[in-house]
Amino acid sequence: MGVEVGDGAPDFELKDQHGTPVKLSDFRGEKKVVLVFYPLAFSGVCTGELYELRDELPTLGGDDVQVLAVSVDSMFALRAWADQEKYGFPLLSDFWPHGGTAQRYGVFDEGKGVAVRGTFIIDTEGVVRWKVVNAIPDARDIDEYRKALAGL
C-alpha cells in the first residue's frame, strides 16, 4: 500500500536538520512540493541526487517549488551533511518512529530499514500529481522532475 498519483498526500511533521518542525500542509496553497525520499546521508548516489537538486533548483520552478528531502538519518547527521554540502532546502529526519513517513508513502524497505528512492510531486492543493519509485541503487532523473512540474 502506498500513495498513488491523484491521492491526497498524507500530511506529516518532521524535524529538519536544524531541529525545526516542518509540516507538509504548511505549503498547501503556497507552493508545489517535490518530496524526495532517499536511503542515507553521506552515501554516493544520494549525495549526487541532492547535488543535482541543490544546483538545479532554480530551473525547477524557483520560488513556487519547495524541495523536501527525507531520510531515516538523525537530524544531527542531516545537519552535518547539509552544512558540508551546502544544501539550501530542508533535510527532514524520519528517524522516529523509524521510517514512519516513508512507510505511509509506501517507499520504506523493511529489510534494509531505509527508504527506497521515491519522489512525489505534490500540487498546491496537496494532491500527488507525479511519482517515481526507484530501487536503492538507481538514481532518479531530475529532468523528469522538471517535466512533471512544467505540466502543473
Side-chain angles (χ1 to χ4, degrees):
M1 185 166 134
V3 176
E4 298 299 332
V5 171
D7 291 348
D11 197 18
F12 58 81
E13 182 176 306
L14 297 171
K15 289 185 179 176
D16 71 8
Q17 67 267 32
H18 304 288
T20 304
V22 175
K23 287 180 71 172
L24 178 62
S25 58
D26 288 345
F27 300 99
R28 194 162 294 147
E30 302 290 323
K31 294 185 178 198
K32 296 168 240 166
V33 174
V34 178
L35 180 60
V36 179
F37 290 90
Y38 62 95
L40 292 168
F42 295 101
S43 59
V45 176
C46 296
T47 299
E49 285 188 314
L50 268 63
Y51 276 175
E52 266 195 301
L53 284 169
R54 177 196 67 198
D55 297 344
E56 297 295 325
L57 186 57
T59 69
L60 291 178
D63 291 338
D64 293 336
V65 174
Q66 177 65 55
V67 171
L68 299 176
V70 181
S71 76
V72 298
D73 295 291
S74 74
M75 71 173 198
F76 303 106
L78 294 176
R79 174 71 183 264
W81 196 40
D83 288 351
Q84 175 182 305
E85 305 301 341
K86 311 280 189 269
Y87 297 132
F89 46 83
L91 302 182
L92 304 179
S93 176
D94 197 12
F95 186 74
W96 199 257
H98 188 74
T101 301
Q103 289 173 28
R104 289 179 63 209
Y105 276 79
V107 295
F108 189 74
D109 183 320
E110 293 283 343
K112 292 184 171 65
V114 298
V116 296
R117 295 182 192 286
T119 301
F120 300 83
I121 294 183
I122 302 161
D123 69 14
T124 57
E125 299 306 312
V127 176
V128 175
R129 295 297 177 191
W130 184 86
K131 83 174 215 182
V132 65
V133 178
N134 287 1
I136 289 173
D138 301 329
R140 292 158 283 199
D141 183 352
I142 198 162
D143 287 332
E144 295 298 319
Y145 298 2
R146 199 173 285 109
K147 288 177 197 171
L149 287 162
L152 293 182

